[in-house]
């Protein structure tokens, strides 16, 4: 069974630009969560989508947004990029049903802002 | 506000020794406590998880100990191997899955021969 796939793996952008990251969950998984990982702040939750609806949202500015498609694939968008947005962006998928379901992570997209 | 506090930040253990990583939490609504292992260039991989109705869970060389009254849980790696060298994260979520995972800051483990 294929794991969580994130594309692209690496991305370099400049301040003020916008970026879209993609995540394909494990087949059959309906929940997709996004996290930002930095050396200083660690892993921080961005948002979770389940059945195309945002179910939870972290404490990030509105420049960070996401969506989920009917096939459970998800995208996140960051607009007006800032230097502080440089991070590893991780996507995790789970079955998403009732109760705590194990989350499985992709290898992330490394975003660098110049 | 950091909801899950993890210690130590880094740990060096001799091959064959026991690695112990500790986490503490404040939110009594947490009811699921997973541990993740992350190698450089890779995403975190689920290692083992525990729910508060048990005090210990063992899978191979990895054991979680859970103390509900103290709101603490720990990961023990028995017979530590150089291949275990990685960063380990504890996490917690609550309300039967309706709240997202909150992660500790991570522990960088180095197992030396």
């Amino acid at each position: 069974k294929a794991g969580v796939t994130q594309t692209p793996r690496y991305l370099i952008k400049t301040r003020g630009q916008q970026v879209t990251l993609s995540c394909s969950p494990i087949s059959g998984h309906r929940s997709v969560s996004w996290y930002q990982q930095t050396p200083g702040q660690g892993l921080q939750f961005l948002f979770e989508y389940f059945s195309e609806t945002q179910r939870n949202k972290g404490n990030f500015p509105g420049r960070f947004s996401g969506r989920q498609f009917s096939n459970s694939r998800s995208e996140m968008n960051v607009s007006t990029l800032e230097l502080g947005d440089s991070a590893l962006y991780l996507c995790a998928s789970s079955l998403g049903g009732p109760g705590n379901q194990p989350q499985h992570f992709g290898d992330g997209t490394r975003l660098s802002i110049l | 506000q950091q909801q899950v506090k993890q210690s130590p930040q880094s740990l060096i253990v001799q091959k064959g020794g026991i690695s112990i990583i500790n986490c503490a939490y404040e939110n009594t609504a947490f009811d699921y406590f997973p541990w993740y292992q992350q190698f450089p260039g890779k995403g975190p991989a689920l290692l083992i998880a525990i729910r508060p109705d048990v005090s210990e869970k063992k899978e191979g060389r990895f054991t979680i100990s859970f103390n509900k009254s103290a709101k603490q849980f720990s990961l023990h790696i028995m017979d530590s191997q150089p291949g275990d060298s990685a960063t380990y994260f504890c996490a917690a979520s609550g309300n039967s899955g309706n709240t997202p995972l909150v992660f500790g800051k991570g522990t960088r483990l180095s197992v030396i021969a």
Side-chain angles (χ1 to χ4, degrees):
Chain A
K1 204 172 194 180
V4 177
T5 303
Q6 292 188 245
T7 56
R9 288 296 313 277
Y10 303 92
L11 208 47
I12 300 175
K13 292 285 186 179
T14 57
R15 282 182 297 173
Q17 287 187 309
Q18 67 94 27
V19 67
T20 299
L21 312 181
S22 179
C23 173
S24 293
I26 292 172
S27 177
H29 284 192
R30 295 167 62 194
S31 169
V32 173
S33 297
W34 288 89
Y35 296 83
Q36 181 194 65
Q37 185 176 27
T38 58
Q41 298 300 317
L43 278 151
Q44 293 188 287
F45 172 76
L46 281 155
F47 29 66
E48 180 207 3
Y49 286 87
F50 177 74
S51 293
E52 301 179 66
T53 301
Q54 188 178 86
R55 189 158 70 172
N56 280 298
K57 187 178 187 305
N59 189 26
F60 276 81
R63 299 185 297 106
F64 292 81
S65 63
R67 60 177 175 168
Q68 187 180 35
F69 302 95
S70 58
N71 62 358
S72 294
R73 191 178 70 84
S74 177
E75 290 181 346
M76 69 164 279
N77 183 277
V78 188
S79 62
T80 319
L81 287 164
E82 300 177 358
L83 291 177
D85 297 334
S86 294
L88 180 67
Y89 290 88
L90 292 161
C91 161
S93 76
S94 69
L95 288 170
N100 286 295
Q101 300 288 341
Q103 290 193 20
H104 301 272
F105 283 82
D107 289 336
T109 294
R110 172 75 63 184
L111 176 62
S112 299
I113 312 301
L114 303 179
Chain B
Q1 181 187 359
Q2 185 184 356
Q3 295 189 55
V4 178
K5 292 186 178 180
Q6 183 173 347
S7 62
Q9 279 188 310
S10 62
L11 183 61
I12 299 174
V13 173
Q14 292 276 354
K15 179 182 174 182
I18 302 174
S19 304
I20 302 174
I21 304 170
N22 301 299
C23 284
Y25 64 97
E26 290 294 325
N27 190 343
T28 55
F30 286 153
D31 58 7
Y32 175 66
F33 303 88
W35 284 87
Y36 283 84
Q37 178 190 57
Q38 185 176 29
F39 292 104
K42 295 290 188 180
L46 180 63
L47 204 54
I48 186 173
I50 197 168
R51 300 181 195 277
D53 53 344
V54 297
S55 59
E56 187 175 282
K57 182 174 182 180
K58 185 176 181 179
E59 288 184 3
R61 295 185 294 109
F62 301 91
T63 299
I64 299 180
S65 297
F66 185 81
N67 186 330
K68 189 174 181 178
S69 60
K71 291 185 283 188
Q72 294 175 347
F73 58 111
S74 60
L75 175 70
H76 291 63
I77 306 174
M78 312 300 286
D79 187 27
S80 299
Q81 298 297 312
D84 297 330
S85 298
T87 300
Y88 293 80
F89 294 92
C90 62
S93 68
N95 295 325
S96 299
N98 289 326
T99 60
L101 280 173
V102 177
F103 283 85
K105 289 288 182 81
T107 296
R108 181 171 290 185
L109 171 65
S110 298
V111 181
I112 57 176

